[in-house]
């Protein structure tokens, strides 16, 4: 009889990781952030981006939450600097293809110079972080020459972030109700973070 088994020869598969991003030396990400506090030295943060559909990839979504607590709230004697404990977690998803999670905890120190509505606050911090990215997609190998059906292979893998610890050095500036901060994060992979907002 006629065999209906066809063996596809072994070949290398380009997973496409990188794809549209492989030639980028910088990857910007913008998000709105709401901070509420302080209550007993604690401030809560919410980061959020509305869901956006990306062609051929699916819905892009991003959110994060965090807490920052100034330990001066519990000390009976004044301290010359503010020292706070911080914890943040965030999640980024692109359709069913990418699911990235990151958690950061650390210790920050800073000192505000000036008045309440006209000030500069240099700060530094030591942060520990853990991040993972999960990839899951179907790769189209080609067509079965007998049935003319598309042959796909599910590709699924996880990647752990290489940054585990980082030093943060930055400064915040306030002019009236307007607030700006920028910091440089030093780790295995360095990054720059900036915030622009309104504070009351």
């Amino acid at each position: 009889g006629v065999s209906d088994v066809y063996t596809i020869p072994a070949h290398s598969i380009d997973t496409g990781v990188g794809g549209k991003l492989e030639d980028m030396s910088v990857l910007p990400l913008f998000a709105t952030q709401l901070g509420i506090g302080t209550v007993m030295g604690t401030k809560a943060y919410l980061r959020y981006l509305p869901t956006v559909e990306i062609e051929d990839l699916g819905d892009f979504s991003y959110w994060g939450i965090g807490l920052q607590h100034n330990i001066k709230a519990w000390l009976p004697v004044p301290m010359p600097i503010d020292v706070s404990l911080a914890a943040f977690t965030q999640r980024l998803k692109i359709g069913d293809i990418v699911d990235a999670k990151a958690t950061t905890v650390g210790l920050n120190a800073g000192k505000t110079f000036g008045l309440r509505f006209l000030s500069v606050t240099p700060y530094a911090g030591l942060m520990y972080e853990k991040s993972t990215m999960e990839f899951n997609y179907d790769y189209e190998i080609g067509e079965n020459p007998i049935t003319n059906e598309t042959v796909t292979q599910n590709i699924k893998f996880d990647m752990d972030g290489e940054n585990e610890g980082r030093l943060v050095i930055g400064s915040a500036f306030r002019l009236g109700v307007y607030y700006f901060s920028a910091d440089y994060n030093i780790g295995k992979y360095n990054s720059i973070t900036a915030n622009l907002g309104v504070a009351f």
Side-chain angles (χ1 to χ4, degrees), residues 14 45 55 57 63 67 77 124 134 160 196:
D14 178 5
Y45 295 92
E55 187 178 348
L57 297 176
W63 63 267
L67 289 174
V77 294
E134 300 174 3
D160 291 330
L196 178 62

Side-chain angles (χ1 to χ4, degrees), residues 4-8 141-152:
D4 61 356
V5 175
Y6 177 78
T7 303
I8 298 173
I141 297 173
E143 282 190 4
N144 182 320
I146 297 172
T147 64
N148 293 327
E149 293 177 350
T150 301
V151 178
T152 61

